[in-house]
Amino acid sequence: MTYTLLGADGRPYVSAAPGRLGGYRRGRIYGRLDCPSALRAIADGGYMAHRVFFADEATARAAGYRPCAVCLPDRYREWKNGPHDRHRLRHRGPDRPRRVGTFDGLRGATRDGGT
């Protein structure tokens, strides 16, 4: 049997061994395969189309994914408080405010006043 995993470059590759960690491509989050949050999302449907797998934590981090706050709280805390390459992640923190001119959800208006 073969498995498709993501490599450190974020590209899929075929592996003889299954992934040890799962991830969510849209949120660029990785965690344990038995993560309660991931299992709920899978049960709700729609999640599997964006599911990815990694051989190990170092590969997941190198691919630009962050630890899950639910199943890896210590690693998540370290990630959140430590230096990391935020431009590769889809995380909007206080140092990365919403861009001017993006949709703010109010009747199609944008932050710069346009429509």
Side-chain angles (χ1 to χ4, degrees):
M1 181 172 231
T2 61
Y3 303 89
T4 302
L5 308 181
L6 281 190
D9 61 0
R11 295 180 186 197
Y13 70 94
V14 176
S15 171
R20 291 182 36 224
L21 297 168
Y24 179 56
R25 181 174 299 139
R26 285 189 153 180
R28 298 186 71 82
I29 299 169
Y30 73 88
R32 295 187 336 234
L33 296 176
D34 64 346
C35 176
S37 181
L39 294 177
R40 273 192 308 274
I42 290 168
D44 289 343
Y47 181 85
M48 290 305 294
H50 306 285
R51 186 89 162 134
V52 296
F53 298 93
F54 298 98
D56 54 42
E57 190 169 4
T59 303
R61 298 289 294 265
Y65 285 67
R66 70 162 176 85
C68 173
V70 175
C71 66
L72 300 172
D74 293 336
R75 288 183 185 91
Y76 173 76
R77 211 171 3 266
E78 290 170 11
W79 170 84
K80 189 170 180 176
N81 295 326
H84 49 278
D85 193 0
R86 285 186 185 234
H87 78 274
R88 292 189 66 194
L89 304 174
R90 295 181 185 177
H91 171 76
R92 182 180 295 126
D95 62 334
R96 186 174 173 209
R98 178 174 272 170
R99 292 177 295 163
V100 172
T102 58
F103 178 73
D104 72 359
L106 301 173
R107 292 189 222 152
T110 57
R111 289 191 146 213
D112 64 359
T115 55

